Amino acid sequence: SNCDRVTVRDCNLSNNYFYGVEDRDGVGNKYINNYCDTNGNTTVATSTGGRGINLWRTVDTLVSGNSFVNSTEYGFRLYSQTGDATAIKGARVIGNYFSNNAACDIVVYNEAATLTRHLFADNIIESTVNPTLGGHVVLQGSNVTCSNTHLYRTGTMGTGFGFQLFQTTHCSIVDCSAENISAALAISTATNCVIDGFIGDSVATAAGAAGIVGTGVTLRNCRFYHGGAGSTDVALANYNATGKSYIENNLFSGFDVGVYIGTEAVSLRDNTTVGSTTAGMRKDSDAQAGQEIIGNVWDSTNP
């Protein structure tokens, strides 16, 4: 607690009852090239709350080149709690490896609404288990960016989602990917967020059955390829959006339906569907308000 400008490097932070590291109120601390394995299990006693590294009320923290594997809860967690008065900002979580953490690999939890301006970049996530939290990367807060981070599931298709924007504002997921998982993305209560250059390879849906839930969400330059045994899978639903979505220059390949909209405002521009079973685009209801459908190529073997 309250340590500033401390560096923890090349350490084995494994087999602890709770955490490899818990940093509270630290400023400018660095965690580099450490090994965090099976936290939550000392081989004598076990805890469901094992974490590799946990940051709470920290500023300007670097977490780079670490391995986070097999913890009984989270690999890495960035955290705020109700009552926290100071902004939690400036974490850079870069170039780490994650695998089979039981609840979630990366989680940003913004209970106090003070998390802002964090970067997650160049991380790799390899999974053979389904996280109990429902997915692998959960992002909350404002101005949080996740870039060039890649999830691949080996063996049977993973359930749940790869990357989630949950109660986020002005956040972005850029040049990331998810492979062999039910939902590449989960988008819930997201405001003015951007997903750009995402690749969902062998996924059942782009963003789960609920699809886009939020306002001002932009999904652009993404590629989603259907996988699994589902014969009625919709690539992207938008009928739960609470405000206008911008769905631009995406490819949806091999789904039953490519894009499914209702009466909500939406901009569909320059999208392409291929190999659709029922329709490239489905629209429910005659009503429309602020719907722009321009320059798309919708296919259907059974229009």
Side-chain angles (χ1 to χ4, degrees), residues 35-39 52 67-72 75 97-101 105:
Y35 184 55
C36 301
D37 182 9
T38 318
N39 283 299
S67 292
F68 300 98
V69 297
N70 301 320
S71 284
T72 58
Y97 174 79
F98 298 83
S99 181
N100 290 346
N101 297 288
D105 292 293

Side-chain angles (χ1 to χ4, degrees), residues 247 249 267-271 291-298:
I247 303 169
N249 192 35
S267 176
L268 294 171
R269 293 174 180 264
D270 302 320
N271 299 286
Q291 293 187 343
E292 305 162 357
I293 304 174
I294 301 169
N296 303 283
V297 179
W298 308 119

Side-chain angles (χ1 to χ4, degrees), residues 1 8 29 41 148 213 249 289 291:
S1 296
V8 179
N29 295 328
N41 186 355
N148 196 34
V213 182
N249 192 35
Q291 293 187 343

